[in-house]
Amino acid sequence: MASLQARITALAQAIGADIKALVNVYMPRAAFGGIPDKTRKMANAQIGAVDAFVSVDGAGTDWPAQSLSTAWWNVFTFGIPGRLSQVAQQVFHTRVAQFWFRHLHDAIWTPWYRHPFTFAETGFLLQDGGVLGYGAGCGGTANQPTNKRMPVTVNKPCGVITMHPEQLSAGASVEFIFSSSALSSAAVLLPVILGYSGYSVVVAYVDTATSVALRLTNNGATRSDPVNISFCILSGAHS
């Protein structure tokens, strides 16, 4: 009987230790840090805890980007070693909250990505004056073959079309079909000339749900340029 009681006691202690360990790893604890020190790395933040990273002279080496010399980041790290997630919030100002996210795969942390926020109940507005658009890796490029009237396809929401260097007379215009899987009947295509003065470009007409005709006009002297057209596609809806 005494042996059974001892085994039950040992089992209860083991279960209690396991529960305590789980709580320490997965439940937020009291905040750590709070002392200005930009040499601290967020990669070394406590797992399952809120850790405060503070600086009065710029960002640390693995902190999210910041424009202020003084910063206070509240960082929450959760998961298991080798598969961690981090959420960081910059709280040293009264502007709209900045939330940044990244995760650890084996021994490699991804870059920090910022989540934009809005005061609006519906819709979206960028409140902090930052740039709204597509990031690196979203774009594509294509070179127009043969002549300036040949169709071009770029199945990306943004990118650059390099037109054929066929001669275009002064005051003349030329049209070609541009297709993209990112286009739809409710999408808006914004084309602009990139790096060449004296030219203009507009959407001449809609060809299909996924293609439009672009019209390039030479507003200067007769030239033979491989004109670059930068484009961006904005998704929309009709209802």
Side-chain angles (χ1 to χ4, degrees), residues 2-239:
S3 176
L4 178 60
Q5 182 64 44
R7 291 170 62 185
I8 292 174
T9 300
L11 179 60
Q13 290 174 344
I15 292 174
D18 287 343
I19 292 175
K20 182 178 180 181
L22 287 172
V23 169
N24 285 340
V25 172
Y26 293 106
M27 296 297 289
R29 301 192 295 266
F32 292 84
I35 299 174
D37 182 5
K38 72 175 185 180
T39 65
R40 294 186 64 219
K41 290 191 174 183
M42 292 185 180
N44 298 328
Q46 295 282 342
I47 299 176
V50 176
D51 208 336
F53 289 79
V54 183
S55 172
V56 294
D57 57 351
T61 57
D62 73 338
W63 298 14
Q66 64 184 59
S67 58
L68 301 174
S69 58
T70 301
W72 183 300
W73 293 95
N74 288 332
V75 179
F76 179 48
T77 307
F78 57 98
I80 61 175
R83 294 292 185 272
L84 295 175
S85 299
Q86 276 191 333
V87 180
Q89 184 182 22
Q90 165 69 282
V91 295
F92 195 80
H93 53 65
T94 57
R95 296 178 298 178
V96 178
Q98 285 194 15
F99 274 98
W100 294 73
F101 303 86
R102 70 172 182 170
H103 69 269
L104 177 71
H105 178 79
D106 294 336
I108 300 175
W109 284 97
T110 66
W112 284 102
Y113 293 94
R114 184 169 69 91
H115 191 294
F117 288 85
T118 176
F119 292 123
E121 181 180 358
T122 60
F124 178 81
L125 292 173
L126 203 62
Q127 298 286 350
D128 63 359
V131 176
L132 178 63
Y134 298 106
C138 294
T141 60
N143 294 318
Q144 187 180 40
T146 312
N147 58 61
K148 279 184 163 62
R149 292 173 176 78
M150 292 296 290
V152 175
T153 298
V154 181
N155 291 319
K156 295 285 186 176
C158 59
V160 176
I161 303 163
T162 300
M163 296 188 66
H164 189 274
E166 179 187 24
Q167 186 180 89
L168 190 61
S169 300
S173 296
V174 63
E175 294 179 0
F176 68 95
I177 298 298
F178 170 68
S179 301
S180 176
S181 58
L183 281 170
S184 69
S185 60
V188 177
L189 173 67
L190 304 175
V192 295
I193 301 298
L194 184 65
Y196 286 90
S197 61
Y199 292 97
S200 58
V201 62
V202 296
V203 176
Y205 60 88
V206 175
D207 183 53
T208 69
T210 57
S211 64
V212 299
L214 294 180
R215 179 185 298 131
L216 176 76
T217 300
N218 180 4
N219 300 302
T222 299
R223 298 162 66 180
S224 300
D225 294 320
V227 180
N228 291 322
I229 299 175
S230 178
F231 71 90
C232 181
I233 298 172
L234 304 179
S235 181
H238 291 156
S239 62

